[in-house]
Amino acid sequence: MISQQTIQQILSRIDIIEIVGGFVKLKKRGTNYLGLCPFHNEKTPSFTVSPAKEIYKCFGCGRSGNTISFLMEHEKYSYVEALRWLAARYNVEIEEKELSPEARQQQQVAESLYIINTFAQKFFADTLFNAEEGRDIGLSYLKERGFNEEIMRKFQLGYCPDQRDTFARAALAAQYNPEYLVRTGLVVQREEKLIDNYRGRVIFPVHNQTGKTIGFGARILRSNDRAPKYINTPENEIYVKSKILYGSYQARQAIDKADECLLVEGYTDVISLHQAGIENVVASGGTSLTIDQLRLVRKYTHHLTIIYDGDSAGVKAALRGLDMALEEGLDVKLVLIPDKEDPDSYVRRIGASAFREFIAANKKDVILFQLEVALKDAGGDSNKKAAVVNQVAETIARINKAEDFTRQQDYIRQSAELLRIEETGLYTLVNKFIRERIAKQESKAASAANQPLPTPGDASVMTVPTDEDSLNLLFRHEQNERGMIRVLLEYGLRAWDEQTLVADYVLGESVELADLIDNKRLLTILDLFKDWYQQGLEPTSKNFLYHEDQELSTLAVSVMDVHLELSPNWKEHYEGKIATPDELYKEDVLSTMRYLKLRKVYRLMEENQADLGKPHSEEELMMLLQTHMHLKEMERSLLQDLGTVIFK
Ligand SMILES: [Zn+2]
């Protein structure tokens, strides 16, 4: 934990041009710098860095952030690692903050579990290669399955003796804490005694990305046993199943180099392919992919190829994670291994080069594959077919459009062909889903982490877009909501008139207008700003950009506009009309607030209209009509004012 003081010191030194410029060639363009985006392929630069605002934005792929998030995204650092890197760069001495007692306790437990796992891994490997039972049973089994010793050592395979407590006794003799031994899942407690959990099994250690042993898979050797084929480590402080991809440590460089990650089901698939020289491969354990696993893949590549056997239940499970994969910007392909074989047996039978050729020749596009399966299921049922159309439109809408526009177009064309529907119709439908998604994105992001993800194809959870106009409106409203926060962050401390600041004006107006803001996260920024401001602090965008709450910082970056000073519309409009740029920001504040006011007026009109529909006394009716006239006048005046400004 780094102390707040150190963080402040680091932040005050940050020069975004210097740091980002170390990774991206930047050229000065106006007040900003421009370069080729490091996050997507492009030939003309659209990656913009604003030194004044200390943020970057790419107008090609939409990525944006501050210096720290740049390091996190580009160098795959964690937040703390990025801070440490910057501290080293600027010679800031790091002052460590005391951990809370709970955090320290948790860290100690985790450390203990790592140590025990390392001890166990060595114990099992030693048994496999050097003990009589290990060689006779474990090693001969693995050799029979075709693994050579080199690959066994690379994956640190082992064997657990078949006696009651050989490992447990060794661990206790080495003074390991019995409670933690149970927590690792290596032993179980039976009536005061510790008993080995993996008796008579071969052991597959599971590593995290840095190569630490976080758990084990233990495979049974005897067939026709009623015991489970595999026993895996239970969830504990260091073994979190949803974040693990087996083999990611051994595969990481190969994935980077090949720019492709192969995904298989089991431990032995991974090891067999490695032995055959195909090393860019990881395993998910056959369950549906989680968002953490997909992000792990995306650290290294955007190309994920799922290789499963054709009748495996794993295929369905893998497809269930498809929508998330698309949202993460992954390009997903599917290869089905024929004839009831799995990658392990198949690569052994046909050899590495034939296997590679087979993969290359049989990559199916996963979206079209899913569509074909769904169409087959629907048969002649037109209701079911309509659901399929909706489903595929929603799936296509999840492709990051900015990143891969032509890919989306291709999908629309090919899917329309398969579905035998009009391409333009599908296009419209896809766009509806996109708009709906953009409008909901942030509010969704806040809760998504805790919510189970809907299963694609399950019609009951499918969101159906409402009519187009209301969606357009939704989207524009969101922009206006952001506008109020943006002007507050950008100009809050500038003069509004002789006595007051922009913040006074905006915060004053916001009392009336805040209820128009649907994105509650934006209100967090507003409230925080207000709090700080009223305490006499001088909050600027920086306080939000570098806020320790990453979600808040991302939101702050997203409301910031780096292109304002470059917008030709603005320039053209103000050229010669307004003398100083100072007046430009006031105009920006005014028009932003006018839009929100206009929306308020429309909302009041609606309420008034609804009231008019009810029965009234003559007096009441007169009042309602007067209100209506008054609102109409406000609308007219606001529209007139707004008409004087050209909007981008
Ligand atoms: Zn980009």
Side-chain angles (χ1 to χ4, degrees):
M1 296 284 265
I2 300 174
S3 78
Q4 201 54 39
Q5 214 171 2
T6 307
I7 295 177
Q8 285 311 322
Q9 257 183 354
I10 297 170
L11 295 185
S12 68
R13 303 272 185 94
I14 285 178
D15 174 353
I16 191 167
I17 299 302
E18 186 186 274
I19 300 297
V20 174
F23 300 97
V24 182
K25 204 167 172 231
L26 295 172
K27 269 193 182 150
K28 198 159 195 308
R29 189 71 59 83
T31 52
N32 291 331
Y33 287 75
L34 206 59
L36 290 173
C37 178
F39 303 117
H40 84 280
N41 268 325
E42 62 177 9
K43 294 204 174 67
T44 45
S46 50
F47 182 77
T48 310
V49 186
S50 162
K53 294 184 176 123
E54 294 186 23
I55 60 174
Y56 65 88
K57 274 193 182 190
C58 173
F59 293 88
C61 67
R63 289 224 171 73
S64 64
N66 57 44
T67 308
I68 292 175
S69 47
F70 180 87
L71 290 170
M72 289 170 72
E73 182 130 13
H74 195 265
E75 296 298 289
K76 322 293 180 204
Y77 290 152
S78 69
Y79 180 69
V80 175
E81 284 166 346
L83 282 174
R84 288 185 191 281
W85 187 91
L86 286 164
R89 168 91 182 223
Y90 290 116
N91 285 321
V92 174
E93 202 174 317
I94 292 180
E95 200 182 83
E96 302 278 344
K97 194 165 82 183
E98 285 265 311
L99 286 176
S100 69
E102 296 80 35
R104 196 182 315 138
Q105 163 75 7
Q106 180 146 9
Q107 202 177 43
Q108 275 165 1
V109 174
E111 280 308 316
S112 304
L113 300 187
Y114 281 128
I115 292 169
I116 292 173
N117 281 345
T118 306
F119 172 78
Q121 181 268 308
K122 289 192 174 130
F123 177 89
F124 294 139
D126 186 53
T127 307
L128 178 73
F129 290 110
N130 303 320
E132 201 183 319
E133 185 193 338
R135 296 185 66 88
D136 285 354
I137 301 173
L139 195 61
S140 65
Y141 165 82
L142 289 168
K143 283 190 169 161
E144 204 178 297
R145 289 215 47 174
F147 297 121
N148 61 37
E149 288 199 16
E150 191 193 335
I151 206 75
M152 292 182 213
R153 288 187 201 275
K154 182 175 180 184
F155 283 87
Q156 303 183 329
L157 304 190
Y159 176 77
C160 181
D162 203 14
Q163 289 80 41
R164 224 173 121 78
D165 58 357
T166 318
F167 170 74
R169 273 186 288 116
L172 289 172
Q175 306 289 316
Y176 290 115
N177 176 333
E179 193 194 319
Y180 291 162
L181 280 170
V182 172
R183 187 114 48 146
T184 58
L186 288 160
V187 299
V188 284
Q189 181 131 22
R190 290 269 161 74
E191 293 153 11
E192 313 271 306
K193 288 231 169 84
L194 296 185
I195 299 184
D196 291 358
N197 199 17
Y198 304 149
R199 296 185 307 277
R201 291 172 178 257
V202 286
I203 307 288
F204 297 85
V206 179
H207 304 95
N208 67 9
Q209 289 151 268
T210 58
K212 281 187 175 172
T213 306
I214 53 176
F216 301 90
R219 190 191 196 283
I220 204 161
L221 299 184
R222 285 154 299 184
S223 50
N224 65 41
D225 201 313
R226 283 153 89 196
K229 192 169 160 192
Y230 278 97
I231 303 176
N232 291 298
T233 298
E235 296 263 321
N236 59 34
E237 279 77 359
I238 58 175
Y239 189 89
V240 182
K241 205 165 169 251
S242 65
K243 295 189 177 180
I244 298 168
L245 281 175
Y246 178 74
S248 59
Y249 174 63
Q250 290 86 351
R252 67 201 192 288
Q253 277 154 358
I255 295 171
D256 217 4
K257 217 165 125 192
D259 193 19
E260 181 182 25
C261 177
L262 309 179
L263 180 83
V264 294
E265 259 179 284
Y267 303 127
T268 54
D269 295 322
V270 170
I271 300 173
S272 277
L273 287 172
H274 262 265
Q275 188 169 290
I278 300 166
E279 298 189 339
N280 55 329
V281 55
V282 298
S284 65
T287 51
S288 72
L289 288 164
T290 66
I291 198 90
D292 287 317
Q293 290 170 326
L294 292 167
R295 286 186 180 152
L296 190 58
V297 171
R298 232 208 55 190
K299 275 187 168 190
Y300 302 101
T301 181
H302 287 255
H303 302 286
L304 178 66
T305 303
I306 302 173
I307 307 175
Y308 278 180
D309 65 275
D311 355 85
S312 152
V315 175
K316 272 200 168 152
L319 290 180
R320 229 174 286 140
L322 173 65
D323 282 7
M324 279 187 295
L326 294 172
E327 275 175 60
E328 286 299 308
L330 286 168
D331 171 26
V332 189
K333 297 279 193 286
L334 181 68
V335 176
L336 296 178
I337 300 287
D339 306 327
K340 295 186 194 286
E341 289 202 75
D342 53 32
D344 178 8
S345 64
Y346 199 56
V347 72
R348 275 174 212 295
R349 192 161 65 74
I350 67 170
S353 64
F355 188 87
R356 274 185 220 272
E357 278 166 31
F358 177 81
I359 298 299
N362 288 278
K363 272 183 202 174
K364 279 191 183 153
D365 186 282
V366 85
I367 293 182
L368 298 177
F369 174 79
Q370 200 187 32
L371 176 57
E372 277 171 36
V373 171
L375 266 180
K376 218 180 277 169
D377 282 353
D381 187 330
S382 57
N383 279 334
K384 277 188 186 164
K385 202 179 156 192
V388 172
V389 173
N390 257 313
Q391 184 195 318
V392 77
E394 200 189 2
T395 302
I396 295 173
R398 283 174 198 271
I399 298 171
N400 192 328
K401 194 173 178 178
E403 204 158 351
D404 225 336
F405 180 68
T406 50
R407 207 172 130 224
Q408 197 167 67
Q409 301 285 88
D410 281 350
Y411 277 126
I412 291 173
R413 191 175 40 73
Q414 293 177 63
S415 305
E417 218 171 275
L418 278 170
L419 289 160
R420 293 179 196 188
I421 56 172
E422 291 246 340
E423 204 177 309
T424 48
L426 187 58
Y427 188 77
T428 313
L429 194 60
V430 168
N431 277 339
K432 280 186 181 184
F433 278 111
I434 292 174
R435 274 195 299 273
E436 186 190 44
R437 201 161 52 88
I438 292 171
K440 283 184 179 167
Q441 218 155 34
E442 252 119 27
S443 60
K444 218 164 107 191
S447 61
N450 314 315
Q451 301 257 325
L453 282 132
T455 316
D458 181 353
S460 63
V461 295
M462 205 149 59
T463 42
V464 177
T466 51
D467 74 272
E468 199 157 339
D469 288 344
S470 70
L471 283 166
N472 267 328
L473 218 55
L474 247 176
F475 187 46
R476 202 168 67 217
H477 286 177
E478 171 104 9
Q479 296 292 358
N480 295 334
E481 292 175 4
R482 286 159 174 276
M484 178 158 89
I485 308 301
R486 178 178 59 82
V487 295
L488 194 58
L489 294 188
E490 289 198 26
Y491 316 121
L493 302 180
R494 294 212 201 169
W496 181 246
D497 53 36
E498 270 155 38
Q499 262 109 49
T500 63
L501 303 181
V502 170
D504 297 309
Y505 170 72
V506 174
L507 289 174
E509 297 280 332
S510 77
V511 177
E512 279 281 307
L513 298 173
D515 66 323
L516 288 170
I517 293 188
D518 297 322
N519 184 342
K520 298 300 171 226
R521 294 289 297 171
L522 289 171
L523 284 179
T524 327
I525 298 186
L526 183 76
D527 289 342
L528 206 53
F529 189 102
K530 203 185 220 168
D531 239 33
W532 285 339
Y533 187 66
Q534 284 168 350
Q535 286 173 37
L537 303 171
E538 298 189 336
T540 68
S541 58
K542 307 273 154 58
N543 299 83
F544 296 90
L545 287 188
Y546 295 115
H547 198 277
E548 57 187 332
D549 178 347
Q550 286 294 297
E551 210 185 306
L552 198 71
S553 128
T554 309
L555 189 62
V557 171
S558 77
V559 305
M560 304 280 284
D561 189 350
V562 299
H563 256 200
L564 190 62
E565 55 266 289
L566 293 179
S567 164
N569 282 344
W570 278 81
K571 249 182 133 179
E572 202 177 293
H573 183 73
Y574 286 107
E575 211 94 69
K577 289 193 187 170
I578 290 172
T580 66
D582 267 5
E583 286 171 63
L584 200 75
Y585 77 78
K586 287 187 191 170
E587 198 52 45
D588 191 7
V589 174
L590 269 178
S591 61
T592 302
M593 300 310 279
R594 277 182 196 131
Y595 252 125
L596 277 172
K597 284 180 189 168
L598 187 63
R599 212 166 119 197
K600 182 94 187 177
V601 166
Y602 284 138
R603 189 169 290 187
L604 292 172
M605 272 182 177
E606 257 170 50
E607 285 168 17
N608 200 53
Q609 291 283 358
D611 275 353
L612 272 166
K614 294 172 196 156
H616 293 288
S617 68
E618 202 145 312
E619 214 170 315
E620 283 169 333
L621 199 62
M622 281 305 291
M623 265 182 55
L624 288 169
L625 285 173
Q626 252 171 25
T627 307
H628 181 74
M629 296 302 288
H630 181 61
L631 288 169
K632 266 290 184 203
E633 174 54 29
M634 282 170 76
E635 180 199 10
R636 197 195 55 76
S637 137
L638 281 167
L639 281 174
Q640 197 175 34
D641 288 341
L642 280 167
T644 65
V645 177
I646 296 166
F647 277 81
K648 297 172 293 169

